[in-house]
Amino acid sequence: MAENQSKHKTAIYPGSFDPVTNGHLDILKRAAKLFDKVIVAVGDNRGKKPLFTASERMSMLKSVCKSMKNVEIDSFTGLMIEYAKKKNADAIIRGLRAVSDFDYEFQMALINRKLEGEIETVFIMTAENYVYLNSGIVKEIVGFGGSAKDLVPKEVEDALRRKLR
Ligand code: ADP
């Protein structure tokens, strides 16, 4: 136990991040206080049709997280839990906004535990002002010419405008 307590703890924060929002960053900052290292893992899942390529999503994340010293940005394909095992992760971080997230997240956490019992899923509650926020809504707002100020970092809003013009 004592040996385990002194061990360096790593968490994976997986997601699409298409693109990263202030809601994602809120969860990430909270996670970075709890773990020695947090790896933000951009899912490069060919089934989903993202607006930004995995490398575009990663470079936006790298840029907005550069002051967070214990945060790394990476990408993965295939099963997230296999990637987490490969990285020797202790935990998976997921953000919770509302009850509507719960069903899906509960199922994923239990399936992942079945696949790999040693890696815990840790849920972090978002700040109240991001409860309604997701990447999809930001794409819609910017797509219709609205302002995404306070929803995403400035450079992400600029990238969205260029992409959706
Ligand atoms: P996925 O497609 O895997 O859900 P997302 O990029 O949408 O990927 O989200 C990654 C993680 O961040 C998920 O755990 C999601 O619940 C969480 N998340 C997204 N937006 C917010 C937000 N506004 N507040 C808290 N958590 C969030």
Side-chain angles (χ1 to χ4, degrees):
M1 201 57 180
E3 187 194 323
N4 197 36
Q5 273 164 3
S6 63
K7 204 182 132 232
H8 194 82
K9 297 282 185 197
T10 299
I12 306 287
Y13 180 29
S16 315
F17 303 100
D18 185 38
V20 58
T21 68
N22 290 346
H24 291 127
L25 293 173
D26 177 68
I27 299 295
L28 184 56
K29 280 177 197 148
R30 294 172 197 278
K33 283 192 214 157
L34 295 174
F35 291 89
D36 299 298
K37 182 161 96 179
V38 180
I39 304 173
V40 181
V42 174
D44 194 1
N45 185 342
R46 309 231 169 267
K48 286 193 180 179
K49 281 235 177 314
L51 178 65
F52 292 98
T53 65
S55 93
E56 287 170 331
R57 284 177 275 153
M58 284 176 74
S59 62
M60 282 185 271
L61 275 159
K62 277 184 189 153
S63 170
V64 298
C65 296
K66 58 177 178 287
S67 63
M68 301 171 78
K69 296 299 170 217
N70 61 339
V71 170
E72 277 176 24
I73 314 299
D74 195 11
S75 69
F76 71 98
T77 51
L79 269 186
M80 186 274 294
I81 199 74
E82 290 301 324
Y83 167 80
K85 263 200 272 188
K86 206 174 70 198
K87 290 287 174 180
N88 286 319
D90 301 283
I92 305 297
I93 302 290
R94 294 292 288 175
L96 280 182
R97 282 159 288 197
V99 215
S100 50
D101 282 337
F102 186 77
D103 255 4
Y104 173 75
E105 294 295 344
F106 185 64
Q107 182 187 21
M108 289 306 293
L110 292 181
I111 290 277
N112 284 331
R113 177 180 284 164
K114 192 168 170 52
L115 296 172
E116 175 49 65
E118 291 298 305
I119 304 181
E120 285 298 332
T121 300
V122 175
F123 293 104
I124 298 183
M125 297 294 300
T126 187
E128 303 92 83
N129 39 338
Y130 302 130
V131 164
Y132 56 86
L133 180 57
N134 63 43
S135 302
I137 210 112
V138 179
K139 284 183 266 198
E140 225 168 287
I141 293 170
V142 177
F144 286 115
S147 166
K149 187 173 173 290
D150 299 333
L151 304 180
V152 293
K154 173 81 171 66
E155 60 190 279
V156 173
E157 182 172 2
D158 293 344
L160 274 163
R161 271 193 216 297
R162 283 194 300 273
K163 193 66 113 174
L164 295 168
R165 198 166 44 200

